[in-house]
Amino acid sequence: MAVKDDKFLPLRNPGSKGWNSFDEPGAIDDLELADAQNITYDDGFIGPREGSTLLYEKPTSETGDPLQLIKAETSDGVRYTIAVYANHFYVWHPATEEWVRINQTYVPVEITRRYGSVNWQNGRGDDRLYGCNGVDDFFRWDICVTVVNGAHTAGGSTVTVTDGSRFPTGGGTLILKSSGGTFFTEAYTSRSGNVFTLTNTLDSNVDSGAPCVTDMIQKASMEVGRYVSKFQRRLMVANYYGGETVVWGSVQGSPEDFTLASTIAGAFTQTIADGNGEITGVHDFGQFLVIEKQDSIHTIKLQIAGDLGSKLAV
């Protein structure tokens, strides 16, 4: 005769009544917890506390702690995690499940300053991430992540990927992983569909399914700053070394152009003299831009002239 096992009792929503640290163990309800660590409740659902679970191992070449994480997001909502270690930038490749260093060419000097960043979403094929730390030049990373389609032999003139639609058509630089496991860059002159025409011949053999991303670009012509935002189709940047109270706005619709002009579309700059200390934040509130300082909050609004020929930052 089989003996029924009564050691386990099926329960719905264990822990839903929370943590009971008052009653004796025998008096604690089945849906209460005698102890609780690293959990949160969201509308009655239990889950791990943020920061209590390990999502990724650090890149194999890094031994220190990450400086910060940056979110890159495309126009259609695809998100990528970028980890910054000193002056090295890595994107987590979801298909190959590995970190790929995306600044093979441009390496900033500063290793302890955090970056302000903003996603400039121009649609598939022209989505970008901009970032700056207030000292080094701006970086631009075209948000392009895919894998190689088919094995490629060193010396070839083209590279084919599974989805090239997110990459610029007019040229750029690819980061590829060789069959030997090392990463290298290849410049390309054009893209047609999923096929890239290389500037030179392929340096190394590349396996099918190998990661392929774009290389970060240095943008020395842009005004630098620690805080980066968007405002009325302009890239906004504030607080650079030596100009901690200065705000810049790019040419409208052209985030890399800071040519000053009184026209509506021209770039502009403003110094926030009131309040104490440096600028500590920049936020887009639609009709106006909010500037934070140590002990004050300020707004910038563009006042357009009646003849639509000029603007004034107020």
Side-chain angles (χ1 to χ4, degrees):
M1 179 179 177
V3 179
K4 185 178 179 181
D5 189 351
D6 291 325
K7 292 182 179 180
F8 297 97
L9 179 67
L11 295 173
R12 297 183 62 185
N13 301 323
S16 60
K17 291 187 177 181
W19 177 27
N20 186 342
S21 61
F22 180 78
D23 291 329
E24 293 295 326
I28 295 177
D29 189 275
D30 291 333
L31 298 184
E32 294 177 336
L33 297 175
D35 191 15
Q37 294 183 12
N38 296 324
I39 63 172
T40 59
Y41 282 94
D42 185 3
D43 290 333
F45 292 96
I46 193 170
R49 175 182 61 82
E50 290 187 4
S52 64
T53 57
L54 181 65
L55 291 179
Y56 316 111
E57 296 286 350
K58 65 176 59 179
T60 55
S61 58
E62 301 294 340
T63 57
D65 294 328
L67 177 64
Q68 73 181 103
L69 295 177
I70 298 174
K71 181 185 72 174
E73 184 172 357
T74 64
S75 299
D76 54 347
V78 180
R79 299 180 179 180
Y80 298 100
T81 299
I82 295 177
V84 184
Y85 286 82
N87 54 0
H88 297 165
F89 294 73
Y90 298 85
V91 64
W92 178 255
H93 199 300
T96 62
E97 296 187 336
E98 63 186 309
W99 292 108
V100 180
R101 183 176 163 186
I102 58 175
N103 66 322
Q104 300 285 331
T105 304
Y106 172 42
V107 182
V109 175
E110 298 294 324
I111 61 174
T112 59
R113 293 180 66 91
R114 291 173 60 87
Y115 288 79
S117 63
V118 68
N119 293 288
W120 191 271
Q121 297 163 329
N122 273 352
R124 198 180 189 95
D126 195 18
D127 287 326
R128 318 165 190 173
L129 174 73
Y130 288 101
C132 190
N133 60 26
V135 176
D136 294 304
D137 291 336
F138 252 92
F139 72 77
R140 166 183 163 175
W141 183 60
D142 293 320
I143 308 175
C144 308
V145 177
T146 188
V147 295
V148 175
N149 185 10
H152 289 61
T153 304
S157 59
T158 62
V159 169
T160 303
V161 298
T162 57
D163 181 9
S165 62
R166 297 190 187 277
F167 291 74
T169 58
T173 302
L174 305 176
I175 299 174
L176 300 164
K177 186 177 183 180
S178 71
S179 299
T182 59
F183 288 94
F184 65 100
T185 60
E186 284 289 353
Y188 70 94
T189 57
S190 62
R191 174 184 64 82
S192 178
N194 297 329
V195 180
F196 296 89
T197 299
L198 302 180
T199 304
N200 301 301
T201 57
L202 192 63
D203 281 344
S204 304
N205 294 338
V206 178
D207 295 333
S208 182
C212 174
V213 303
T214 50
D215 194 17
M216 183 183 290
I217 305 170
Q218 181 179 6
K219 306 303 297 186
S221 64
M222 296 176 66
E223 296 292 335
V224 300
R226 293 179 60 188
Y227 300 99
V228 186
S229 183
K230 291 183 293 186
F231 175 59
Q232 296 182 357
R233 296 177 56 228
R234 302 175 191 271
L235 188 143
M236 304 300 301
V237 57
N239 187 344
Y240 62 88
Y241 182 72
E244 289 80 5
T245 61
V246 177
V247 180
W248 276 87
S250 74
V251 171
Q252 197 170 44
S254 184
E256 299 175 13
D257 188 351
F258 286 82
T259 304
L260 291 172
S262 61
T263 58
I264 294 176
F268 71 93
T269 184
Q270 188 88 346
T271 299
I272 310 298
D274 294 339
N276 294 317
E278 63 184 356
I279 292 174
T280 58
V282 180
H283 308 281
D284 178 14
F285 272 76
Q287 291 188 347
F288 53 89
L289 186 74
V290 171
I291 310 296
E292 296 181 36
K293 296 187 74 175
Q294 177 179 326
D295 60 354
S296 57
I297 295 178
H298 311 263
T299 62
I300 291 179
K301 184 177 180 180
L302 297 181
Q303 190 175 82
I304 309 301
D307 61 0
L308 304 181
S310 63
K311 68 179 183 303
L312 177 66
V314 295

